Amino acid sequence: MQKEKLRNVRKRKGITQQQVADFIATDVSNYSRKESGDVSIRNDEWEKIARFLEVPVEEIYEEEEAKLINNFENNTDSNNIGTISNNETATVSTNYYCNIPEFLLENQKDYIELLKKENQRLQEALKNKE
């Protein structure tokens, strides 16, 4: 899904993709992929871009399409606090996406179940030895 709102505001303001890319510290080809919807725009990038374009985030933000299979949340990020417009504090999680074929996921789920059962069996064997 192309980021039409973002592209329209950027063009209306006469700003190039290179200028936005420089501001958010990426190369122009990566920014172009972000604007065309091939690469996700992170929450912090939305905020930086809005600040650079001097518009509210809501004027350019467009929801990402769920086109990838997995969504892994990175909860180890130490910078996971954000603020809401009414000055309340909220936790913001960073999402990382990867495209894994469904058959591999099923295989991994089965393997995890097998490992859980083996772990439980070994724990019971240890208890019986005590």
Side-chain angles (χ1 to χ4, degrees), residues 33-54:
R33 289 191 301 271
K34 289 176 182 285
E35 196 173 272
S36 68
D38 294 334
V39 175
S40 295
I41 299 175
R42 298 185 323 257
N43 289 341
D44 64 316
E45 290 174 325
W46 279 115
E47 293 171 13
K48 286 180 184 177
I49 294 167
R51 191 169 47 247
F52 183 69
L53 297 174
E54 299 176 331

Side-chain angles (χ1 to χ4, degrees), residues 11-27:
K11 286 183 174 184
R12 185 182 76 224
K13 295 206 171 244
I15 295 174
T16 66
Q17 286 186 338
Q18 181 68 60
Q19 290 170 307
V20 178
D22 291 343
F23 188 78
I24 65 170
T26 191
D27 59 85

